[in-house]
């Protein structure tokens, strides 16, 4: 019986930086051929039952003979290389010979010394405004480099450089960087044995780094990093975490879907796509048949018996605001048909194919938010959202969609169809609503006439009795803050959370906090500036209120298990629910609770 050969990246040095897969390969190895002093021998402790061979003095033929003979003898053989085998690992010639002999092998990647150096330097190699590319290279030595890859050519790009295997002649290397046009004040760092116990870091510029490296006695096993990114005080901000920037895993502002989602899949391929989608949604569980349970992480997994998907969907129907079904649309239609009630109560349902090419808004596109959920799923998968509601096809924000986005309650759902049909036939309507909503969504539409500002929304068809009425939410914002927090910081934090939550400031009835914040000047000033009520609650009242996210820190230091969430719920009154749980914004924590209010038909 033949054995198994696995090439394993040992990582940069520290034994706990090897991958879990790499460590497991060592634990089950019968023979380990490791790359001498470049590999931390503490890693060999994983291989307690293996024969250990140091390859430092072996030729390529001798190494290959060990690997091939071990494989043919039925052994589990690990070839342990430093860092990641793909970077100057001298593995290609080993791969070639094994391929020639038709001997299979696996490769386990490792952490490169380039990235261990970045961690040691606490820097990012790519920074907006400084460098968005990284060149990984080496200087010519006993091993030549192609003419077009000479340092003097590559350095002219002015991006970040990680230079391997080149610390032996720093002065010659610096001269080549100068020849490429790099200025004397270009930051340079040299990291010796990154992540090892004797790690050493030398920083400088082109003008002085060579002397500093010589003084430190560094001649080999060092990563040389060159570039402006080493000055962390420079550089712009990435768009990745900009709250106004939408990307594959985050929608922008109030257009994103809010609420717990159930993601269903029935096949192995579908489950892989379901996990991708779930990881990009704010809150999502993945429902899988029992036979595929191990494919899903425990914290997301909901298991149902094989062949019982219809029953699983029915049981989950009233517990989730959104459903993403990674399966055929026909199956979904047949399963949910008996469950559908009305557009005011049905959850959002989106159907997605296993490749993620299309996300189809199937049910409750506006009030349920399926159109927005479809757009989020499409962003995550890189696919296309398919929305068929007439208003959206024509580029108009439907009024029931507006209600869903901004937490308005539709008082008379029967009027939705009348108003929508009238508009789709190019009829004219008059609206009363917050001016900010009108200007954002309807000011450019000549059919929709602004009749006055109002906290609630009404849409009337002139010369008829048809009036669509939507009640504004009544919310309280709970605030916790560090001592001495300024009004401007509070204002910015509250504005950010309200925008994320889709709550207008006009819909906030007041703010709430703990009694111990009664003398906070910034908080009092903020309340005065907004003209809103500010309520305070005692320690006893706050601790009696059940919350979703109790704080160990607040309990330890203040004797209160929650400030922002508990205060918002208490202020909003009996039966209130959280719109947004505790959100930390620097020195401020914010939560938003909504009052329970019955609609008037």
């Amino acid at each position: 019986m033949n054995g198994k050969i696995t090439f394993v990246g040992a990582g940069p040095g520290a034994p706990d930086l090897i991958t879990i897969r790499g460590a497991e390969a060592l634990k089950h190895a019968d023979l380990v051929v490791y790359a001498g002093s470049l590999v931390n021998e503490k890693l060999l402790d994983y291989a307690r039952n293996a024969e250990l061979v140091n390859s430092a003095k072996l030729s390529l033929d001798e190494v290959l003979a060990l690997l091939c003979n071990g494989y043919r003898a039925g052994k589990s053989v690990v070839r342990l290389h430093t860092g990641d085998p793909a970077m100057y690992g001298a593995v290609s010639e080993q791969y070639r010979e094994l391929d020639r002999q038709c001997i299979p092998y696996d490769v386990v990647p490792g952490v490169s010394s380039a990235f261990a150096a970045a961690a040691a330097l606490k820097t990012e190699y790519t920074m907006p405004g400084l460098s968005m590319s990284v060149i990984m290279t080496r200087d010519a030595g006993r091993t030549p480099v192609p003419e077009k890859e000479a340092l003097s050519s590559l350095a002219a790009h002015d991006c970040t450089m990680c230079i391997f295997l080149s610390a032996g002649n720093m002065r010659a290397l610096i001269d080549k960087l100068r020849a490429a046009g790099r200025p004397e004040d270009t930051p340079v760092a040299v990291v010796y044995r990154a992540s090892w116990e004797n790690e050493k870091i030398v920083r400088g510029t082109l003008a002085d780094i060579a002397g500093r490296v010589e003084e430190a006695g560094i001649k080999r096993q060092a990563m040389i990093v060159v570039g402006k990114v080493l000055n962390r005080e420079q550089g712009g901000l990435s768009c990745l975490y900009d709250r106004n920037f939408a990307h594959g895993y985050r929608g922008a502002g109030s257009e994103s879907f809010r609420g717990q989602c159930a993601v269903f899949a029935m096949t192995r391929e579908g489950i892989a796509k379901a996990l991708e989608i779930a990881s990009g949604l704010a809150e999502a569980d993945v429902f899988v048949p029992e036979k595929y349970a191990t494919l899903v992480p425990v914290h997301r997994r909901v298991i149902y018996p094989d062949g019982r998907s219809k029953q699983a969907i029915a049981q989950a129907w009233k517990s989730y605001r959104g459903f993403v079904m990674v399966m055929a649309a026909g199956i979904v239609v047949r399963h949910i048909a008996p469950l559908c009630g009305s557009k005011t109560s049905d959850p959002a349902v989106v159907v997605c194919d296993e490749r993620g090419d299309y996300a189809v808004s199937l049910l409750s596109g506006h009030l349920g938010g399926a159109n927005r959920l479809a757009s989020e799923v499409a962003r995550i998968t890189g696919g296309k959202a398919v929305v068929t509601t007439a208003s959206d096809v024509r580029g108009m924000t439907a009024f029931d969609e507006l209600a869903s986005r901004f937490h308005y309650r539709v008082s008379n759902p029967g009027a939705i169809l009348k108003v929508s049909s009238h508009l789709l036939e190019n009829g004219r309507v008059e609206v009363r609503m917050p001016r900010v909503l009108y200007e954002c969504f309807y000011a450019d539409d000549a059919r929709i006439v602004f009749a006055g500002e109002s906290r609630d929304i009404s849409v009337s068809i002139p010369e008829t009795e048809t009036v669509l009425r939507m009640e504004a939410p009544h919310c309280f914002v709970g605030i916790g803050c560090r001592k001495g927090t300024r009004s401007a910081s509070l204002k910015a934090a509250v504005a950010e959370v309200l925008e994320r939550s889709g709550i207008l400031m006009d819909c906030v009835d007041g703010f709430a906090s703990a009694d111990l914040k009664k003398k906070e000047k910034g908080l009092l000033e903020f309340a005065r500036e907004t003209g809103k009520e500010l309520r305070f609650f005692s320690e006893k009242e706050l601790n009696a209120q059940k919350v979703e996210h109790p704080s160990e820190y607040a309990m330890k230091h203040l004797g209160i298990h929650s400030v922002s969430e508990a205060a918002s719920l208490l202020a909003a009154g009996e039966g209130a629910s959280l719109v947004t749980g505790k959100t930390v914004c620097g020195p401020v924590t914010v939560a938003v609770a909504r009052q329970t209010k019955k609609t008037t038909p």
Side-chain angles (χ1 to χ4, degrees):
M1 185 180 73
N2 291 327
K4 180 180 182 181
I5 297 175
T6 306
F7 288 81
V8 173
D16 56 349
L17 284 181
I18 193 171
T19 64
I20 294 174
R21 186 180 297 181
E24 286 298 309
L26 286 173
K27 288 177 184 177
H28 296 96
D30 300 308
L31 170 64
V32 177
V33 183
Y34 66 99
S37 63
L38 298 176
V39 170
N40 191 330
E41 291 193 345
K42 288 182 179 179
L43 287 167
L44 302 178
D45 291 344
Y46 286 114
R48 296 188 182 276
N49 301 314
E51 177 188 357
L52 307 176
V53 178
N54 186 335
S55 66
K57 295 184 179 181
L58 300 182
S59 66
L60 173 62
D61 289 341
E62 290 171 320
V63 170
L64 285 167
L66 285 168
L67 302 184
C68 296
N69 292 337
Y71 169 77
R72 293 189 180 105
K75 294 181 179 180
S76 179
V77 182
V78 169
R79 177 66 169 121
L80 189 61
H81 279 270
T82 185
D84 182 279
M87 292 300 299
Y88 304 108
V91 290
S92 57
E93 53 264 51
Q94 299 174 66
Y95 296 166
R96 271 197 304 270
E97 181 59 24
L98 293 174
D99 290 340
R100 189 187 68 79
Q101 296 191 38
C102 297
I103 295 177
Y105 54 91
D106 293 325
V107 181
V108 178
V111 177
S112 169
S113 58
F115 304 121
L121 295 167
K122 296 181 175 63
T123 194
E124 181 180 358
Y125 288 150
T126 54
M127 291 178 63
L130 295 182
S131 176
M132 295 304 286
S133 301
V134 184
I135 293 176
M136 293 187 178
T137 187
R138 61 165 296 172
D139 196 8
R142 286 187 300 175
T143 302
V145 300
E147 182 180 349
K148 291 184 179 179
E149 294 181 18
L151 274 181
S152 54
S153 298
L154 296 179
H157 291 284
D158 203 34
C159 61
T160 305
M161 299 187 76
C162 294
I163 306 173
F164 291 71
L165 306 169
S166 304
N169 193 346
M170 283 295 296
R171 293 192 182 276
L173 183 146
I174 296 301
D175 286 342
K176 293 174 183 178
L177 297 177
R178 290 190 179 110
R182 295 276 179 132
E184 289 292 297
D185 63 352
T186 299
V188 183
V190 177
V191 183
Y192 171 71
R193 289 168 71 86
S195 83
W196 291 70
E197 291 180 359
N198 59 341
E199 173 187 283
K200 187 182 296 183
I201 298 174
V202 179
R203 293 178 182 267
T205 64
L206 286 191
D208 61 13
I209 191 66
R212 294 188 178 197
V213 169
E214 290 171 1
E215 184 179 341
I218 298 174
K219 302 179 181 65
R220 58 190 294 273
Q221 290 187 289
M223 175 60 58
I224 302 165
V225 182
V226 181
K228 299 170 187 174
V229 296
L230 292 169
N231 185 348
R232 285 181 292 169
E233 294 180 359
Q234 297 181 1
L237 297 177
S238 168
C239 290
L240 183 62
Y241 300 108
D242 189 318
R243 60 188 172 90
N244 296 314
F245 178 71
H247 58 76
Y249 291 92
R250 185 178 71 241
S254 60
E255 295 186 8
S256 61
F257 182 84
R258 294 182 296 272
Q260 186 82 8
C261 289
V263 186
F264 276 79
M266 297 179 174
T267 66
R268 183 177 294 272
E269 293 78 9
I271 290 167
K273 187 58 62 177
L275 283 171
E276 178 186 341
I277 292 167
S279 66
L281 296 172
E283 302 172 85
D285 295 324
V286 177
F287 284 69
V288 290
E290 192 170 8
K291 62 182 176 181
Y292 292 130
T294 58
L295 299 179
V296 181
V298 173
H299 75 282
R300 288 199 185 276
R301 184 171 66 203
V302 180
I303 303 170
Y304 60 85
D306 296 342
R308 305 280 290 179
S309 58
K310 181 177 181 179
Q311 291 80 357
I313 293 169
Q315 289 176 0
W317 190 250
K318 294 187 180 299
S319 301
Y320 291 84
R321 290 196 59 188
F323 286 75
V324 180
M325 320 299 279
V326 186
M327 61 188 72
I331 296 174
V332 179
V333 170
R334 286 191 290 272
H335 283 0
I336 70 172
L339 307 174
C340 295
S342 71
K343 65 163 52 187
T344 60
S345 60
D346 288 336
V349 179
V350 170
V351 177
C352 181
D353 61 287
E354 289 183 351
R355 289 179 19 165
D357 290 339
Y358 299 98
V360 183
S361 175
L362 188 68
L363 179 71
S364 203
H366 289 154
L367 280 177
N371 292 353
R372 279 172 282 132
L373 182 56
S375 295
E376 284 210 49
V377 171
R379 273 199 299 269
I380 294 166
T381 65
K384 183 175 182 179
V386 180
V387 175
T388 58
T389 42
S391 55
D392 295 272
V393 170
R394 297 194 187 186
M396 185 189 87
T397 301
F399 289 109
D400 47 344
E401 168 71 10
L402 187 78
S404 177
R405 285 195 199 181
F406 294 95
H407 301 276
Y408 277 70
R409 185 180 285 110
V410 180
S411 303
N412 52 340
I416 294 174
L417 181 59
K418 294 179 182 179
V419 169
S420 299
S421 299
H422 183 71
L423 282 169
L424 292 172
E425 293 172 1
N426 293 316
R428 176 174 168 272
V429 298
E430 295 179 350
V431 298
R432 294 182 179 274
M433 62 172 54
R435 183 177 292 276
V436 65
L437 292 182
Y438 176 77
E439 292 179 351
C440 182
F441 293 99
Y442 304 112
D444 294 331
D445 193 330
R447 300 168 301 167
I448 301 175
V449 179
F450 188 66
E453 187 158 12
S454 169
R455 174 171 171 160
D456 294 328
I457 296 175
S458 65
V459 185
S460 59
I461 300 176
E463 301 178 5
T464 72
E465 295 183 355
T466 300
V467 182
L468 172 61
R469 302 185 188 280
M470 299 188 291
E471 298 176 15
H474 288 261
C475 299
F476 273 85
V477 176
I479 299 175
C481 62
R482 294 178 195 161
K483 187 175 182 179
T485 301
R486 296 183 178 181
S487 172
S489 298
L490 291 158
K491 180 179 180 181
V494 170
E496 180 176 341
V497 173
L498 290 179
E499 183 177 348
R500 287 186 197 173
S501 309
I503 297 290
L504 301 179
M505 182 62 86
D506 286 351
C507 296
V508 174
D509 290 346
F511 306 111
S513 191
D515 274 346
L516 55 85
K517 297 296 178 182
K518 281 184 174 180
K519 296 183 179 180
E520 279 292 333
K521 293 182 180 179
L523 183 58
L524 298 173
E525 181 182 340
F526 170 59
R528 283 196 301 270
E529 289 173 351
T530 58
K532 304 285 185 182
E533 177 187 6
L534 176 59
R535 298 184 186 177
F536 294 100
F537 294 95
S538 68
E539 174 185 321
K540 182 179 180 181
E541 290 173 306
L542 293 170
N543 285 335
Q545 176 66 51
K546 291 183 179 181
V547 295
E548 292 183 8
H549 307 101
S551 169
E552 292 183 8
Y553 179 88
M555 178 56 74
K556 179 179 179 180
H557 295 276
L558 304 176
I560 301 172
H561 73 156
S562 170
V563 175
S564 59
E565 287 190 359
S568 66
L569 289 165
L570 287 167
E574 185 178 353
S577 60
L578 285 176
V579 175
T580 300
K582 180 179 69 176
T583 304
V584 180
C585 302
V588 184
T589 58
V590 180
V592 183
R594 177 177 178 168
Q595 289 180 333
T596 299
K597 183 178 179 182
K598 294 183 180 180
T599 59
T600 304

